[in-house]
Amino acid sequence: MSAAWMIAARRSPVVPRGGALAALDVDALAAPVIRATLVDADVSAADVDEVILGIGLYGGGNPARRAALLAGLGEETPALTLDRQCCSGLDAIALGARLIESGAADCVLAGGVESYSRAPERHAVDAAGAVSSTPYVRPPFTPWPDRDPEMTEAAAALAVHLGISANRQADWAVESHLRALAADRAGALSPELVKMPEAARDAYMRALTPRTCMRSRLLAGAEGFEVRAATAAVSADAAAMVCLVSERLLSRLAPGFCCRIEGAASAGCDPALPGLAPVAATRKLAAREGLDLETLQVFEVMEAYAAQAIACVDALGLDPDRVSRSGGALARGHPIGASGAILAVRLFHELHGEQAGARGLAAIASAGGLGTALLLQRGAA
């Protein structure tokens, strides 16, 4: 089997729903990120064997094909759209790596895209064929209504279940914003960002305080453990993409920096507590690879909710100083299908500042109690 190598990783700015990227459909949102990734990788469009894009909110069809064509890839290049909700972008990268490892491809562009702003209305049709006049927010993710909670309610239940106080959630959110702002001011995010006419930087990060957090709108939960607006990631628009290549193509390209895909795993957990799914996926991956998490230098853990991120960090025994070092989704936003790919892009660039051989892990949860984890190892410069 050939190893899969990540040689380029780019993303758009993350902008809250209804903001500067709202006019862009998913193909227009993803296309410039695809083009920038190709330029960074020094790969021609003819070298690309497959494009895989994760997405969670769309009206059918194959948005990955539209984005690939708009980006200038040839008509002969196939493209696949993948939907595992929040895990979609990370799953797209894992699938691309497996295509390369199996010998089915030498170059795959993989990632995710989401336009919350342009998501279509969806209406249920009953058994008699009547169309509901009221659009539904989301489809069911399990066959059991009593074990298919809304994600905010699930985060609040998780906080109570594990004793994660509202104050601790607020402190986590404040730290996420502080780290994101510091990285932005230092220019540390520039190498990963594709500056677009509509937006040049992440739009949501701000100087947040615990007091402001605790005064933000109550979303759900018992007193003392409640989830508030400031401790939940906002809905957002964004795209993220990586270029994966085989060892054969890697030797021809000789990039200055690359990361090997060391492994990936998906796993399920109790659908009533979906925020713990990254723990299941990470433990599965660690067992498969014989991995001691304490030896990893960097972690990117999804911050859909502060309670969920804290729960995962606590359960896995991670050092918080190594987690989301340049801020997370609480400071940027949650563009569902793109969020996992953004974690991979962030991890790639965080590892750039580490020594050869350093390893890092990205992990994310999805509704229904599914999680995905991806392990990268930094190659030699």
Side-chain angles (χ1 to χ4, degrees), residues 110-305:
V113 62
E114 199 75 77
S115 175
Y116 240 115
S117 300
R118 299 291 298 276
E121 280 193 353
R122 297 174 290 182
H123 295 256
V125 180
D126 66 20
V131 179
S132 170
S133 61
T134 303
Y136 61 86
V137 176
R138 69 165 181 86
F141 293 115
T142 81
W144 313 292
D146 61 329
R147 296 183 64 202
D148 189 14
E150 296 295 330
M151 293 301 283
T152 301
E153 295 289 343
L158 185 63
V160 171
H161 179 67
L162 296 177
I164 301 171
S165 71
N167 286 323
R168 190 177 177 200
Q169 294 174 53
D171 289 343
W172 187 279
V174 168
E175 182 65 19
S176 183
H177 282 269
L178 283 173
R179 293 181 180 189
L181 283 170
D184 178 65
R185 288 166 181 160
L189 303 178
S190 295
E192 69 196 58
L193 283 171
V194 177
K195 294 183 179 180
M196 305 170 73
E198 298 82 2
R201 60 192 289 271
D202 298 323
Y204 188 65
M205 52 192 174
R206 61 200 191 279
L208 192 63
T209 67
R211 180 181 175 86
T212 303
C213 270
M214 296 302 290
R215 294 177 64 183
S216 65
R217 182 166 54 93
L218 175 65
L219 300 182
E223 185 176 355
F225 303 94
E226 62 269 23
V227 172
R228 295 187 172 274
T231 59
V234 296
S235 305
D237 305 332
M241 185 69 56
V242 305
C243 182
L244 305 173
V245 299
S246 65
E247 288 182 323
R248 178 172 53 198
L249 188 52
L250 182 76
S251 63
R252 192 191 90 192
L253 295 168
F257 171 67
C258 57
C259 289
R260 179 176 175 174
I261 308 288
E262 289 286 288
S266 296
C269 71
D270 180 356
L273 294 172
L276 291 176
V279 177
T282 299
R283 287 175 174 166
K284 182 177 179 179
L285 178 58
R288 180 186 295 162
E289 301 296 327
L291 178 66
D292 179 357
L293 295 177
E294 290 185 359
T295 65
L296 272 59
Q297 284 72 31
V298 189
F299 298 91
E300 290 292 329
V301 176
M302 183 58 192
E303 295 178 343
Y305 300 89

Side-chain angles (χ1 to χ4, degrees), residues 276-348:
L276 291 176
V279 177
T282 299
R283 287 175 174 166
K284 182 177 179 179
L285 178 58
R288 180 186 295 162
E289 301 296 327
L291 178 66
D292 179 357
L293 295 177
E294 290 185 359
T295 65
L296 272 59
Q297 284 72 31
V298 189
F299 298 91
E300 290 292 329
V301 176
M302 183 58 192
E303 295 178 343
Y305 300 89
Q308 162 261 317
I310 293 168
C312 293
V313 168
D314 286 355
L316 293 170
L318 305 183
D319 178 356
D321 289 339
R322 300 183 188 182
V323 178
S324 302
R325 299 187 307 191
S326 296
L330 287 169
R332 296 188 177 94
H334 185 11
I336 292 180
S339 288
I342 290 171
L343 294 182
V345 171
R346 290 261 57 260
L347 183 61
F348 179 84

Side-chain angles (χ1 to χ4, degrees), residues 349-372:
H349 287 276
E350 289 289 336
L351 284 171
H352 195 195
E354 298 291 329
Q355 294 183 348
R359 293 183 294 176
L361 182 137
I364 190 169
S366 186
L370 294 172
T372 299

